[in-house]
Amino acid sequence: MDDKKTPAESTVTLAHIMSAHDTNLYGTVHGGVVMKLVDDAAGAAAARHAGCPAVTASVDGMSFLAPARVGDLLTVSAQVEYAGRTSMDVGVRVTAERWNTSGPGTEVVTAHLTFVAVDADGTPHAVPALEPVTPRDKERHRRAAERRARRAAARSDGA
């Protein structure tokens, strides 16, 4: 595939106000609710880059940094950080702020997921190359390449 896309072309931002329905027994937002939002945003970013559906292949890591609460507006931002032949590594950042105020949000989750582009039959589909533009894009690309190399090494070790 000769096409190239920049990370900015895959960027997706979702926002959702957390309600009592989203909480766990401790009164904070259930981790599974946040995980679904992360997967939704990352999947949309991957599909946007690929130009076709993309399915979750793995979650390389998800760090819960701070709790989210009822009334928080969660903003989930996702962007493709690396593209292979048919797979894409997507970085996600989730921030929380009170729904009725403005100001800087608190980072509550970071995650890295891998998606595979698929055609209508579920067969892996080639994706455009990724062309990092900004210094931040290039650093994210470098880190994603390192994660990919660690995954490949773990597979070859039988882990």
Side-chain angles (χ1 to χ4, degrees):
M1 183 171 266
D2 294 334
D3 298 350
K4 286 186 179 180
K5 290 187 176 181
T6 66
E9 292 177 90
S10 70
T11 301
V12 170
T13 302
L14 304 177
H16 190 78
I17 297 173
M18 297 292 101
S19 70
H21 177 74
D22 300 314
T23 61
N24 58 29
L25 296 174
Y26 303 106
T28 57
V29 174
H30 194 286
V33 170
V34 179
M35 291 170 79
K36 182 182 183 325
L37 293 171
V38 165
D39 192 52
D40 287 347
R48 188 173 273 185
H49 179 81
C52 64
V55 297
T56 310
S58 69
V59 177
D60 292 335
M62 186 172 298
S63 298
F64 290 85
L65 308 171
R69 304 186 188 295
V70 169
D72 281 352
L73 174 67
L74 293 191
T75 303
V76 185
S77 301
Q79 185 177 71
V80 172
E81 297 179 339
Y82 189 97
R85 191 178 61 76
T86 61
S87 66
M88 296 152 286
D89 285 42
V90 181
V92 183
R93 180 176 183 254
V94 182
T95 59
E97 59 185 296
R98 295 308 295 168
W99 70 273
N100 59 346
T101 63
S102 63
T106 299
E107 188 172 54
V108 294
V109 172
T110 59
H112 294 95
L113 298 86
T114 302
F115 285 78
V116 174
V118 294
D119 63 19
D121 297 321
T123 303
H125 185 276
V127 301
L130 188 70
E131 185 170 23
V133 177
T134 68
R136 187 173 181 151
D137 289 346
K138 292 173 183 176
E139 177 61 19
R140 288 177 172 175
H141 186 266
R142 183 189 65 74
R143 286 190 207 155
E146 289 173 357
R147 284 190 301 277
R148 290 174 74 88
R150 282 193 300 271
R151 284 194 311 269
R155 280 193 306 272
S156 68
D157 288 344

